[in-house]
Amino acid sequence: TMMILAATSHVKLVTSFVAPRAVVTPSLSKLYTSSSDESEVHISIEYCSGCQWMLRSTWMASEILTTFASDASLSSLSLIPKGPPLSEGGIFRITAKRNNSQGADSGKTTLLWDRKIEGRFPESKEVKQLIRDLVDPGKDLGHSDKQKGDDGSSSKEADCVECKEQQQDDPKQKLQESSELAIPDIFYNQDKVSIEYSTGAVSSPDNGLYRANFYANELLSCAYERNTWWKQYQLDNDDEKTAASAPVVVDKVTLIPNRELIGTMKIELNEEMTIYDHSKEADDEYIDASRLRKMVIRAITHGDISLSSGEIDIDLLDEEEAEEARKYFGVF
């Protein structure tokens, strides 16, 4: 009897010691250590601004960042306009670069999609699947895991007109190939803007992605002005024009989801100058996109963000433009 009691007591002791470890440890370990043990992935979308693929690219960015809003392994996404004279036209390329747990660049870049290779644009679900396989292979993408079909993105090559094709079709835009004009130094500047925003819940007012995406569109649209300037510069065949006459552009906009803080909206230029920080504003209103664009251009050209009275005027959309903006971005 004493032996049976001793054995029973021993079993109870072991059971009470082992059970809590088996139930608690695995889930907590996965929850609190996944972000530090796993490397982070940065996505880049390069697109041809001459082909006017900015909206296609920012739409794809919003699709990706919405789907992976809670995945800490996806650290950021950059939108990079490309085009003549520094690169060929017709570029639409999506890549992923992995950093280690300390944020250091591992140097490994994975090509996810290249329109030149595939012969078409990707559907958003295709891109999501490719990113999922890098970030979280076990993640369920819901309807985006279904077989390929039309999700709103055109895959027909005939729908796309490259810069060079556009120029050849329009006699007025035919370039003077015989002349070799010097490329102004300003074209080689690489001014980069980062927009850190609060993810919140996908459908909550705290989700700053849509506002951040709207800001990105406003800043990246500067490239259209330079494209127009460059074409005219070539048509004029005028080497006398100075670099000062070329419009200032933003060469890259990086969207950085902040999954911890609520109400974050911080915008920096070249990782050293803070253009706007919503947490330091006296009221709860967010900066107007037109004003932000002027502040960024001022920072690039003058090194400060103080606007004169003449620069503060806000460019208002007409009714048709406002309606299109509401359809695309929703109402803030």
Side-chain angles (χ1 to χ4, degrees), residues 93-117:
R93 183 185 303 124
I94 304 176
T95 57
K97 177 169 283 191
R98 189 178 293 277
N99 298 331
N100 62 29
S101 58
Q102 285 73 41
D105 184 357
S106 67
K108 181 181 179 181
T109 299
T110 302
L111 177 64
L112 301 180
W113 194 274
D114 192 331
R115 174 182 166 273
K116 296 283 188 179
I117 297 175

Side-chain angles (χ1 to χ4, degrees), residues 28 38 52 54-55 59 64-65 70 77-78 102 104 115 122 127 152 163 170 193 195 208 213 221 264 276 311 314 331:
L28 291 180
E38 299 176 2
Q52 300 185 9
M54 180 189 73
L55 289 179
W59 169 78
I64 295 170
L65 292 170
S70 60
L77 186 150
S78 291
Q102 285 73 41
R115 174 182 166 273
V127 176
C163 305
D170 186 353
V193 171
I195 305 177
N213 197 294
S221 64
T264 299
Y276 173 78
E311 295 174 304
I314 296 174
V331 180

Side-chain angles (χ1 to χ4, degrees), residues 53-326:
W53 290 340
M54 180 189 73
L55 289 179
R56 179 187 295 274
S57 303
T58 54
W59 169 78
M60 183 68 75
S62 66
E63 285 286 306
I64 295 170
L65 292 170
T66 297
T67 298
F68 298 95
S70 60
D71 290 273
S73 294
L74 181 59
S75 62
S76 56
L77 186 150
S78 291
L79 293 154
I80 309 171
K82 296 284 188 179
L86 298 184
S87 61
E88 62 179 346
I91 291 176
F92 189 85
R93 183 185 303 124
I94 304 176
T95 57
K97 177 169 283 191
R98 189 178 293 277
N99 298 331
N100 62 29
S101 58
Q102 285 73 41
D105 184 357
S106 67
K108 181 181 179 181
T109 299
T110 302
L111 177 64
L112 301 180
W113 194 274
D114 192 331
R115 174 182 166 273
K116 296 283 188 179
I117 297 175
E118 303 295 338
R120 63 180 178 88
F121 291 104
E123 296 181 4
S124 64
K125 63 181 65 177
E126 292 178 289
V127 176
K128 291 176 185 179
Q129 290 169 5
L130 292 168
I131 295 175
R132 183 268 310 277
D133 293 342
L134 287 175
V135 174
D136 184 3
K139 183 180 179 64
D140 181 10
L141 295 179
H143 69 277
S144 292
D145 266 331
K146 295 179 182 179
Q147 295 298 317
K148 185 173 69 173
D150 185 18
D151 65 353
S153 58
S154 172
S155 61
K156 297 180 180 179
E157 184 67 16
D159 292 341
C160 318
V161 180
E162 295 188 12
C163 305
K164 58 183 180 181
E165 297 169 343
Q166 210 169 31
Q167 293 162 0
Q168 290 170 357
D169 291 342
D170 186 353
K172 295 181 180 179
Q173 295 297 327
K174 190 171 183 179
L175 305 179
Q176 299 184 21
E177 298 178 357
S178 59
S179 62
E180 295 183 359
L181 295 174
I183 300 175
D185 291 340
I186 194 173
F187 275 73
Y188 296 99
N189 293 350
Q190 291 296 308
D191 292 301
K192 308 168 186 177
V193 171
S194 63
I195 305 177
E196 182 183 358
Y197 66 92
S198 172
T199 57
V202 172
S203 59
S204 79
D206 296 322
N207 183 8
L209 170 59
Y210 308 113
R211 187 180 300 277
N213 197 294
F214 181 59
Y215 290 156
N217 273 275
E218 183 71 20
L219 297 175
L220 292 168
S221 64
C222 296
Y224 291 152
E225 297 178 15
R226 178 175 287 183
N227 292 341
T228 301
W229 181 93
W230 173 249
K231 290 180 181 178
Q232 191 61 45
Y233 178 62
Q234 291 179 294
L235 289 170
D236 292 344
N237 195 18
D238 185 4
D239 260 329
E240 297 298 321
K241 284 191 174 182
T242 63
S245 66
V248 173
V249 303
V250 174
D251 299 282
K252 176 163 67 171
V253 173
T254 299
L255 301 173
I256 306 173
N258 187 320
R259 300 176 174 90
E260 298 179 358
L261 301 178
I262 299 298
T264 299
M265 183 63 67
K266 186 175 182 180
I267 302 171
E268 294 184 342
L269 174 65
N270 297 327
E271 301 181 350
E272 57 186 20
M273 177 184 291
T274 299
I275 303 296
Y276 173 78
D277 189 344
H278 183 66
S279 66
K280 297 181 180 179
E281 295 297 309
D283 54 42
D284 199 40
E285 296 294 324
Y286 285 87
I287 187 171
D288 179 83
S290 176
R291 181 183 177 88
L292 172 64
R293 173 174 170 163
K294 292 174 181 177
M295 291 173 66
V296 169
I297 292 176
R298 172 79 184 185
I300 292 174
T301 56
H302 294 79
D304 63 70
I305 57 175
S306 57
L307 298 179
S308 64
S309 58
E311 295 174 304
I312 295 179
D313 295 335
I314 296 174
D315 299 327
L316 298 178
L317 301 175
D318 60 32
E319 292 185 3
E320 291 185 1
E321 291 173 329
E323 181 61 26
E324 287 297 318
R326 283 192 291 270

